Amino acid sequence: MNSSRPYLVRALYEWIVDNDCTPHMLVNAEYPKVQVPEGFASDGQIVLNVSPSAVRSLHMDNDAVSFEGRFGGVPHSLFVPIGAVLGIYARENGQGMVFELESSMMEDEEIEDDQEQPDDDGPPEGGGQPPRPSGRPSLKVVK
């Protein structure tokens, strides 16, 4: 089955714009093939204003988001693979969605799949959720 991420990104973008808010995209700037201006990322992430008034030639498909934007008055062409999109939200109220990190390499996905397989077929004791694999980062919204 195809990833739901590109569909959710497009739907949330339209929803945010339809509600007269400013869509911002949180991007993993270190993800392979990401093209964003150097020097604007912080801790390997960058927040991009993708509102219709801030960008030109916005194109969103199942593989990537691309557009032209200005940083410090200098025009740049940006390319963001869908796997690098960590979230999309409205600047005005923070409503939107944060996505789990997506592996960029097929070998990494196979390793993660192997690590996430339970040892038995039953749920964990106590009915709680299974523990997250160690070393896997998680995101949380900070207001």
Side-chain angles (χ1 to χ4, degrees):
M1 196 169 211
N2 291 337
S3 170
S4 60
R5 185 179 304 213
Y7 302 95
L8 292 170
V9 169
R10 289 192 300 265
L12 286 165
Y13 175 85
E14 287 185 31
W15 176 69
I16 292 166
V17 170
D18 285 351
N19 283 284
D20 296 321
C21 291
T22 309
H24 280 203
M25 209 178 318
L26 177 62
V27 174
N28 176 354
E30 297 173 345
Y31 195 90
K33 299 183 183 176
V34 166
Q35 295 174 2
V36 295
E38 298 212 13
F40 290 92
S42 175
D43 295 326
Q45 299 178 348
I46 186 169
V47 175
L48 304 172
N49 177 349
V50 289
S51 68
S53 62
V55 301
R56 292 173 131 187
S57 305
L58 178 65
H59 179 74
M60 293 186 197
D61 61 24
N62 290 351
D63 299 318
V65 176
S66 61
F67 59 92
E68 295 175 15
R70 291 185 170 272
F71 289 81
V74 178
H76 291 273
S77 291
L78 289 85
F79 181 83
V80 179
I82 282 295
V85 177
L86 299 175
I88 184 167
Y89 62 93
R91 178 184 69 197
E92 291 78 2
N93 57 22
Q95 290 191 0
M97 184 177 286
V98 177
F99 303 104
E100 287 187 18
L101 290 175
E102 196 170 273
S103 178
S104 61
M105 303 293 184
M106 193 62 157
E107 298 85 26
D108 291 344
E109 289 175 0
E110 290 173 7
I111 291 170
E112 280 185 30
D113 288 345
D114 290 343
Q115 290 175 348
E116 293 179 11
Q117 295 298 322
D119 292 335
D120 61 6
D121 294 332
E125 287 186 32
Q129 293 198 3
R132 298 188 118 207
S134 63
R136 185 173 183 190
S138 62
L139 298 173
K140 58 182 175 176
V141 177
V142 178
K143 292 186 178 185

